Amino acid sequence: MNNFNGSGRLTRNAVLKGESVLLFTIAASNDFSKKVDFVPCTLFNADEEVARLLTEKGKGLEVELQGYVSTSRVQQNGTVKYFTRVIVAPESLAVSG
């Protein structure tokens, strides 16, 4: 199964793309290696209240979320780049100060 459950703090304010797509990164501590992992996330169909909160006051907010891991491949100038991000389930996002 491709499930992601995580929590962390937003590294900066979220970026709104279009009307309802939010892009943000969370800093999540890794209990196994005692380091911080930076997890890029995408939230589709974000409601207005969540979008406003994460874009205006997002940096440092703690979030809990669920979703799935998605990879994509982009070719630019003959170079192939791979990207991995978490696609967040909108109903699973919980924000706390």
Side-chain angles (χ1 to χ4, degrees):
M1 294 178 104
N2 181 0
N3 291 322
F4 176 87
N5 296 309
S7 64
R9 294 191 179 275
L10 267 68
T11 59
R12 63 185 178 126
N13 290 349
V15 175
L16 184 63
K17 296 284 185 179
E19 290 185 22
S20 62
V21 178
L22 281 177
L23 304 176
F24 57 93
T25 301
I26 63 169
S29 62
N30 183 331
D31 293 334
F32 299 109
S33 64
K34 304 296 184 203
K35 68 173 192 159
V36 175
D37 293 319
F38 295 93
V39 182
C41 301
T42 301
L43 174 62
F44 293 100
N45 300 321
D47 67 27
E48 281 185 41
E49 184 178 333
V50 169
R52 188 176 320 108
L53 177 65
L54 295 185
T55 56
E56 294 176 4
K57 300 178 182 178
K59 184 175 180 177
L61 285 178
E62 186 156 352
V63 296
E64 293 182 12
L65 53 89
Q66 295 177 348
Y68 65 91
V69 177
S70 173
T71 58
S72 59
R73 180 183 139 176
V74 177
Q75 186 168 353
Q76 293 177 332
N77 303 327
T79 304
V80 177
K81 294 183 179 183
Y82 295 91
F83 297 96
T84 303
R85 65 179 52 251
V86 172
I87 307 299
V88 179
E91 67 279 358
S92 74
L93 183 66
V95 179
S96 60

